[in-house]
Amino acid sequence: MKGLLMVLAAMVALVGGPASAEWQKVLGPEALAGLERAVVIDIRSPKAYAAGRISGALSAPYSTWRGPKDNPGRRLSDSALTERLQSLGLTRESRVVVTHQGSSETDFGAAARVYWTLKSAGLTEIAILNGGVAAWVTAGKPLGTGPTPAAERTAARFVMAKDWMIDRAGVADVLAGRRGAIMVDARPAAFFRGEKKHDGAAAAGTLKNALNITHDSWFRGPTTEIVTGPKVLEIAKAAGYRAGAGELVSFCNTGHWAATNWFALSELAGIEGVKLYPESVVGWSQAGGALVPGG
């Protein structure tokens, strides 16, 4: 285990995450300002987008990347995914930067969920603006309110790959011991312990034997910028992560906070086999799945 952790730490230290020297998965305002040939998508509300946006950014509200109101964590169907990406002018060769508001750590979860969707659709050059539009403004960069840019629709077809996803049947196999994995709950402790539940959940509690690595563990003090470098792996180890126990499965209430954990563990720490359970506790409990108090 020690040897594998050292290898992972070295990978992180090498380039601030597993991204190549040519492409980083988290960008600051200066890096984004100097980036060429990138499609910037703004996942904030239409109202926030209209009030001021990064030049050239396309509006793609977070709600359009999610499931229905009764189960918002449900992943997009392949037809809905294709429509969403075609309308933004995207192909698998597109380089995309996801921008969010940056007013809280929860905002990052939205960006991470969209990043996960794009990666699952086959795009390989994807990044998140660290700190969101708030960091952009703080850095003295301008926001515009001019004519709304329009994307040229593509004819590309997209299918959600299963490489970074686990479904309800897969989770059932993990809990029954038929599949080796560590379940990682991204929710605040009150949800994990069963003292609080999401309105859409049929019951309170967490999945059996889950670790609790809260989604806000990855951020630098009072800012909404996610940590990078060796610190990512240090946080995971402190929370109980150990190598060699199989896959990591990140979940929360609706696959939102869990997307932050998935991004940190998979994309920044470079850990192989990290899966997101999109429907998470809401979908699991609505289908009759058992929950237990965590602790």
Side-chain angles (χ1 to χ4, degrees):
M1 181 176 75
K2 182 178 178 181
L4 180 56
L5 289 175
M6 290 177 64
V7 170
L8 289 171
M11 289 169 59
V12 173
L14 206 58
V15 290
S20 69
E22 293 76 28
W23 186 259
Q24 296 297 313
K25 299 179 180 181
V26 172
L27 298 175
E30 293 297 335
L32 175 56
L35 193 62
E36 299 179 355
R37 298 185 300 101
V39 178
V40 179
I41 59 174
D42 189 326
I43 65 171
R44 299 176 301 156
S45 70
K47 182 178 180 180
Y49 176 82
R53 56 187 175 270
I54 295 170
S55 178
L58 302 174
S59 180
Y62 182 49
S63 60
T64 64
W65 301 87
R66 302 277 275 161
K69 186 176 181 180
D70 63 335
N71 187 8
R74 185 183 302 166
R75 74 169 183 87
L76 294 179
S77 67
D78 291 338
S79 60
L81 174 72
T82 294
E83 170 58 29
R84 174 74 287 194
L85 272 58
Q86 284 183 351
S87 70
L88 292 169
L90 300 182
T91 68
R92 288 173 185 80
E93 290 70 42
S94 298
R95 48 170 47 181
V96 179
V97 180
V98 182
T99 66
H100 57 295
Q101 183 59 45
S103 60
S104 71
E105 295 92 342
T106 291
D107 284 338
F108 191 94
R113 174 75 185 227
V114 173
Y115 178 109
W116 171 83
T117 302
L118 292 168
K119 180 167 183 171
S120 297
L123 282 73
T124 58
E125 290 190 320
I126 320 160
I128 296 174
L129 175 60
N130 208 4
V133 172
W136 179 266
V137 172
T138 298
K141 304 299 182 184
L143 296 179
T145 57
T148 303
E152 183 177 347
R153 177 180 284 273
T154 66
R157 308 296 297 181
F158 298 93
V159 175
M160 287 283 282
K162 296 181 179 179
D163 303 56
W164 303 281
M165 173 171 36
I166 192 169
D167 60 14
R168 191 181 307 150
V171 170
D173 284 343
V174 172
L175 299 184
R178 296 186 294 269
R179 179 173 177 172
I182 303 171
M183 306 300 298
V184 181
D185 191 336
R187 300 174 302 164
F191 287 98
F192 179 69
R193 293 194 297 260
E195 299 163 358
K196 185 177 181 179
K197 79 175 189 70
H198 188 279
D199 289 343
T206 190
L207 298 175
K208 184 176 66 174
N209 297 328
L211 295 179
N212 188 205
I213 307 180
T214 60
H215 71 103
D216 57 0
S217 299
W218 313 101
F219 296 87
R220 301 185 182 116
T223 76
T224 59
E225 296 179 5
I226 197 166
V227 301
T228 56
K231 183 67 175 175
V232 181
L233 197 60
E234 291 173 13
I235 292 169
K237 290 165 59 180
Y241 164 70
R242 64 189 188 282
E247 302 166 322
L248 293 177
V249 176
S250 181
F251 70 96
C252 58
N253 286 318
T254 64
H256 176 106
W257 289 330
T260 296
N261 279 10
W262 173 85
F263 183 85
L265 295 165
S266 173
E267 304 302 278
L268 298 181
I271 299 172
E272 297 288 339
V274 184
K275 311 283 187 179
L276 178 69
Y277 178 30
E279 297 185 354
S280 288
V281 165
V282 167
W284 175 260
S285 64
Q286 287 180 356
L291 297 171
V292 300

